[in-house]
Amino acid sequence: GVTLSEEMRWWGCFSALAIVVVTNIAGVEVVGKISYVLCLLVCSPPLILVLLGMGHVGSIPATNWQQLHWLHFLTSLMWNTSGFDDAGASAAEIEGPREVFPKALGISVALVTALYILPIAVGVAVEPNTELWHDGFLAKIGAELGGVALGLAMSIAGFVSSLAQLNALLCTSVREVICLAEQEGQPVPAVLGRLHPTFRTPHVGTVAFAIVMLGTLKYQFVELIAATVIFDCVSFLIQFATWIHFRWHTEPDGAFRAPLNVAGVALWSTGPIFLCCLVLFLTLSAGGDALYGTILVYISGEVLYRGYQLRR
């Protein structure tokens, strides 16, 4: 029920970013333990919401497909159900990743899917008029089912969820940049890969990444998702192409491999590839600041990269 001014909102975002920078410099183990605790805090209120509201769930209300904004829907859907590949960026700092990652990802996919579908099913059953829905509406559903306490708990869970994602994504994203900094011929200064003398973490790269993120604090959630998903779609297309390529050209070497042959890998990749192409098409058709800003970043990055290569 509190409306923040733009200045208050910016300082709130800045404070959250500062907190996760400190935890990331402290190390992957600290990030992991904090994520575990935050996960419990995030899952508890939606679980209570579902238990209180399952009696309301009946038939699925009719959907007016003509009013559906496909671009916003698909970009939100992709953003909410992606990011699992980021776990690979910290594999070098995980004990037994070949055994841990398949189990952890299996649990995570199931948990994330349930945490989206079940509370929304209850929410739509309680308030089927989706025209009334807005950001944070599940908190209102919680207040209707469990009183002010559950509504407040749902709001806090939403904030903690965002904080937990920022904490984990900063960890994995910085390590992707560090990987480039450690490779010869890449346009990333080696200083970004410098490790903290005590924690042995990339503290310079972490702080630098956070400084870049300061420029995004003024934008709204939907705008950030639109820009992010454009990058994600291109990244996913490259990842699936790489998966097919490696399965075709490499032999088993003891690393974890999905139990699929080349045809199975290609077939498995068809759905996500089609979805990525559809989202890119819809984004190009819609235009807007997110599209033009992303294109500018792509062009700038390519020019800087090629210029760096020529200088060498």
Side-chain angles (χ1 to χ4, degrees):
V2 178
T3 301
L4 298 178
S5 65
E6 286 298 318
E7 184 178 0
M8 292 171 62
R9 180 179 176 273
W10 192 94
W11 281 108
C13 294
F14 176 83
S15 300
L17 184 58
I19 291 172
V20 301
V21 166
V22 173
T23 60
N24 271 265
I25 293 177
V28 169
E29 186 174 354
V30 175
V31 172
K33 290 180 177 179
I34 291 177
S35 295
Y36 183 76
V37 173
L38 295 182
C39 179
L40 296 177
L41 294 175
V42 168
C43 293
S44 300
L47 177 61
I48 297 173
L49 177 77
V50 171
L51 292 176
L52 293 177
M54 284 303 292
H56 295 270
V57 178
S59 59
I60 300 176
T63 301
N64 188 340
W65 296 102
Q66 294 181 344
Q67 293 183 353
L68 182 62
H69 194 300
W70 283 101
L71 180 58
H72 286 172
F73 168 65
L74 291 176
T75 52
S76 298
L77 179 67
M78 287 189 66
W79 186 84
N80 285 324
T81 55
S82 64
F84 300 103
D85 54 317
D86 291 324
S90 56
E93 299 170 74
I94 303 297
E95 294 182 7
R98 295 176 184 173
E99 294 76 29
V100 171
F101 274 29
K103 297 177 183 178
L105 290 174
I107 294 172
S108 297
V109 170
L111 186 60
V112 167
T113 303
L115 280 173
Y116 281 128
I117 292 179
L118 296 180
I120 290 178
V122 169
V124 172
V126 173
E127 180 49 78
N129 184 5
T130 54
E131 293 183 1
L132 300 177
W133 282 58
H134 52 76
D135 289 346
F137 193 78
L138 280 177
K140 184 176 181 179
I141 298 295
E144 291 186 16
L145 292 174
V148 177
L150 183 57
L152 180 61
M154 288 294 296
S155 296
I156 295 174
F159 169 74
V160 172
S161 174
S162 298
L163 190 66
Q165 290 180 62
L166 179 62
N167 191 38
L169 285 172
L170 181 63
C171 179
T172 56
S173 299
V174 167
R175 275 150 183 79
E176 293 174 356
V177 176
I178 303 312
C179 180
L180 289 174
E182 293 175 347
Q183 295 184 36
E184 185 178 354
Q186 298 296 329
V188 178
V191 67
L192 293 180
R194 186 177 298 170
L195 300 181
H196 192 279
T198 302
F199 301 110
R200 308 303 299 168
T201 53
H203 61 297
V204 177
T206 300
V207 173
F209 202 98
I211 292 174
V212 173
M213 290 180 66
L214 289 177
T216 68
L217 299 189
K218 67 177 182 178
Y219 292 100
Q220 298 299 316
F221 185 63
V222 174
E223 296 174 312
L224 292 173
I225 283 184
T228 300
V229 169
I230 296 174
F231 287 107
D232 285 345
C233 285
V234 176
S235 175
F236 294 153
L237 290 173
I238 295 174
Q239 289 182 42
F240 281 110
T242 303
W243 188 25
I244 296 171
H245 172 82
F246 279 139
R247 184 54 56 90
W248 179 268
H249 290 285
T250 60
E251 298 295 329
D253 60 357
F256 173 77
R257 291 166 65 93
L260 299 170
N261 57 21
V262 178
V265 169
L267 184 62
W268 194 281
S269 305
T270 301
I273 288 175
F274 172 77
L275 182 59
C276 290
C277 292
L278 176 61
V279 169
L280 287 173
F281 170 76
L282 292 174
T283 304
L284 291 171
S285 302
D289 293 342
L291 170 63
Y292 301 129
T294 307
I295 292 176
L296 179 61
V297 170
Y298 270 120
I299 295 175
S300 301
E302 186 69 16
V303 170
L304 290 172
Y305 186 86
R306 295 305 173 187
Y308 184 87
Q309 293 291 327
L310 291 174
R311 191 183 68 179
R312 293 179 57 86

